[in-house]
Amino acid sequence: MSTNTPEGPSGRGDGAAPVSDEKWAELVRQAEAGGAGAPKEPSARARMVTARLRALDEEAARGRRGRKGKQPDSWQPDGWRTGPARQEGHDRSRKRRRAAGVLGMLVVVGALVVTMRPSLVTEHLPGGDPSADILPLPAETAPPTAAPADGLGPDRPTEQEPFRGSPALRWADGVDGIEIPVAKASGGMSKGQVEHALRATRQLLVEANLDPVTLRGEKPREALELLDPLQQGERELLERSLAQPDEEHDPLMMFTRFDPDEARLVGDVVKTRGRMTFEAGATGSVEVHADYTFVYPLLRAGGDEVTRTIVRRRLTTALHDPQKFVATRDKLSVLRSEQNFGNAACEVNDGYLHPSFPSDAPNRRPAGQDVDPYDRSEWQPDGSCGTVTRT
C-alpha cells in the first residue's frame, strides 16, 4: 500500500502552499463552467497541515501588530530568539563593564595623584599647607657626607608651617625617626637581650627629648627609671643637675628642656633624624650607639613669634649581664653623652635651653665659627659656641 500523500491542487506534495477558500471556490466555478478539470479533494492530512499553517500565519500577524507597546506571546520554539537577545545582552554588559573599568581607572589615578601630591587638594583648603606633598626622606643608614640642602619656601617658620624652610620638613616625626637595627646575639648577650638594649635606648631618647613633660622642664622620671641605679655616680649626677643646675651640673647634657615662661612647643611634632648601631662590649655586655638630631619649633610665650632650636645628641649606653657585672637586670648604664645645640644661649646655665626669636635684639657675636646645626656630617666640639647659619 502506498504511503505517498495525495497531491493538492497545485500538483505539489504535502509541502505545497495552501489554497485559499476564495481560490478553491474559483476553481470549482471554472470546473462547473466547463473549464479545467475539477480539482481533487485534498486528503484529511493535507487539510490538517493547511489549517495548521494558516493558524501559525495568523498568530504571527497578530504578534507583529502587537509588538509596538508590549511583547507578544511567543509562538516560536524555545531558543528561537536566543541568539540575537543574548548578543544584545552581551553588548550592554560589555559597555557597562567598559564604563566601570574607565571609572575605576580614573579613581585609581586620582588617588595616586593625591597620595603623591596632596597639596593639589590641601592647598585649596583653609589653612592648607602647599609644602604638604614633600615626600619624607628614607631612614639614615650611614653617616652623611655633607650638609642637607635648604628647605622649601621662606626660612622663617610660622605657627601654621613651623618647619617651612627647614631641611627637617622631610624628616620623620618624633619616635618614627628613631629606628632600631635588627638585633642579633653579641658580646655574650642573647638576641633577646640585645633587642632589649636597643629598645630601652630608644625609649631613653624618647623620654629625654620628646616627652612633653621633659620639654616643659618638669622632672623626667620615666627616663631616670630606665637607668641602672647601681651605675656609680650617673643617677646621682642627673638628680643633682635637675634639682640644682649650674655650669658643673647641667641637666641639658641628657635632657632637652625649655622654660615654659619663655617658650612652648608649636603643635606636638618634633622632627627627628639619625641612626642607631650596636656592638659587643666587654664579655657579658652589649653597647648601643645613638646619634640623633631633634628640631623643635617654638612659640614665644605670650606672643606669636616662632623660631626653631636644633639639638643633636650622641649617646652610648650599655646593657650588662648581672651575673658578670655589678648591674641591675634590664637597666641601662650611660657610658657617654654628648650634645650640640643650635639657636640656644651659650652662657646661661639654669638647666633650660633659651632660643632666640626674630625680634630679639642682636647680641654680640659669640666666639667660635659659623655652625650649620643641620649638618650631620660634622660634630662640633662640646663647649663650642658658634653662630648658627640657619634654623
Side-chain angles (χ1 to χ4, degrees):
M1 180 176 66
S2 174
T3 59
N4 291 337
T5 303
E7 294 182 352
S10 64
R12 298 171 62 181
D14 289 344
V19 178
S20 65
D21 293 341
E22 293 80 6
K23 183 64 176 177
W24 183 258
E26 178 65 24
L27 291 174
V28 170
R29 284 194 300 271
Q30 291 177 2
E32 292 176 347
K40 298 178 181 180
E41 177 69 16
S43 68
R45 183 178 179 185
R47 289 196 300 272
M48 181 181 67
V49 170
T50 299
R52 174 63 176 162
L53 292 176
R54 182 181 294 114
L56 292 178
D57 286 340
E58 291 173 355
E59 179 100 10
R62 287 196 301 272
R64 286 192 295 272
R65 289 194 298 270
R67 187 168 298 163
K68 184 176 181 181
K70 66 176 182 177
Q71 293 294 329
D73 294 335
S74 177
W75 57 268
Q76 291 87 355
D78 291 342
W80 185 81
R81 288 283 296 173
T82 299
R86 291 181 61 186
Q87 181 64 41
E88 292 173 3
H90 287 321
D91 289 343
R92 289 193 295 269
S93 179
R94 280 197 296 268
K95 290 178 181 179
R96 286 195 295 268
R97 288 197 298 269
R98 188 178 298 114
V102 172
L103 179 60
M105 181 63 69
L106 292 176
V107 171
V108 170
V109 171
L112 289 174
V113 170
V114 173
T115 299
M116 297 179 67
R117 293 198 61 191
S119 66
L120 293 177
V121 175
T122 58
E123 68 183 358
H124 297 293
L125 299 176
D129 183 358
S131 63
D133 60 352
I134 302 301
L135 297 178
L137 291 175
E140 184 178 284
T141 57
T145 58
D150 291 335
L152 298 178
D155 183 55
R156 182 170 295 184
T158 66
E159 287 189 67
Q160 292 73 32
E161 301 177 55
F163 297 102
R164 188 65 183 267
S166 166
L169 182 64
R170 299 183 62 195
W171 293 8
D173 294 352
V175 68
D176 291 342
I178 307 178
E179 298 186 5
I180 63 174
V182 177
K184 63 180 180 179
S186 181
M189 307 291 275
S190 68
K191 176 182 177 181
Q193 290 172 312
V194 172
E195 184 170 5
H196 176 79
L198 293 169
R199 293 187 179 279
T201 301
R202 179 177 63 179
Q203 192 62 27
L204 178 59
L205 289 167
V206 170
E207 299 295 343
N209 300 281
L210 297 174
D211 183 20
V213 171
T214 304
L215 298 180
R216 290 195 301 264
E218 300 177 26
K219 188 173 183 177
R221 300 181 188 278
E222 299 295 331
L224 293 171
E225 284 299 317
L226 295 167
L227 304 180
D228 191 343
L230 297 181
Q231 182 184 9
Q232 187 174 2
E234 183 66 24
R235 180 74 176 264
E236 290 80 0
L237 176 62
L238 291 174
E239 294 277 8
R240 166 71 170 78
S241 299
L242 289 165
Q244 296 177 312
D246 56 34
E247 187 174 356
E248 298 298 326
H249 304 86
D250 190 353
L252 296 178
M253 67 182 184
M254 180 66 69
F255 308 114
T256 301
R257 310 169 77 232
F258 298 96
D259 185 346
D261 293 332
E262 183 177 72
R264 65 173 178 82
L265 198 67
V266 177
D268 56 3
V269 174
V270 174
K271 291 292 186 176
T272 308
R273 185 160 182 80
R275 65 190 181 280
M276 186 184 300
T277 60
F278 68 92
E279 63 179 348
T283 302
S285 68
V286 61
E287 296 182 2
V288 179
H289 304 283
D291 182 349
Y292 287 89
T293 299
F294 304 90
V295 181
Y296 302 90
L298 300 163
L299 180 68
R300 185 194 291 275
D304 57 2
E305 284 188 288
V306 177
T307 191
R308 289 186 289 255
T309 289
I310 301 94
V311 176
R312 181 180 178 185
R313 294 193 181 277
R314 294 199 304 192
L315 178 68
T316 300
T317 63
L319 184 68
H320 295 99
D321 184 349
Q323 295 183 352
K324 297 181 174 64
F325 293 86
V326 179
T328 304
R329 184 175 300 277
D330 295 336
K331 297 293 185 179
L332 293 176
S333 294
V334 177
L335 304 185
R336 187 175 183 181
S337 179
E338 302 173 290
Q339 52 281 323
N340 281 167
F341 304 126
N343 189 27
C346 295
E347 300 173 352
V348 181
N349 304 113
D350 60 357
Y352 297 112
L353 291 170
H354 297 276
S356 174
F357 289 88
S359 65
D360 290 342
N363 297 322
R364 63 180 178 85
R365 182 181 180 85
Q369 60 183 356
D370 290 347
V371 176
D372 181 357
Y374 291 98
D375 187 357
R376 291 182 45 77
S377 67
E378 297 182 357
W379 178 261
Q380 300 301 318
D382 285 356
S384 63
C385 192
T387 299
V388 293
T389 58
R390 57 179 172 172
T391 62

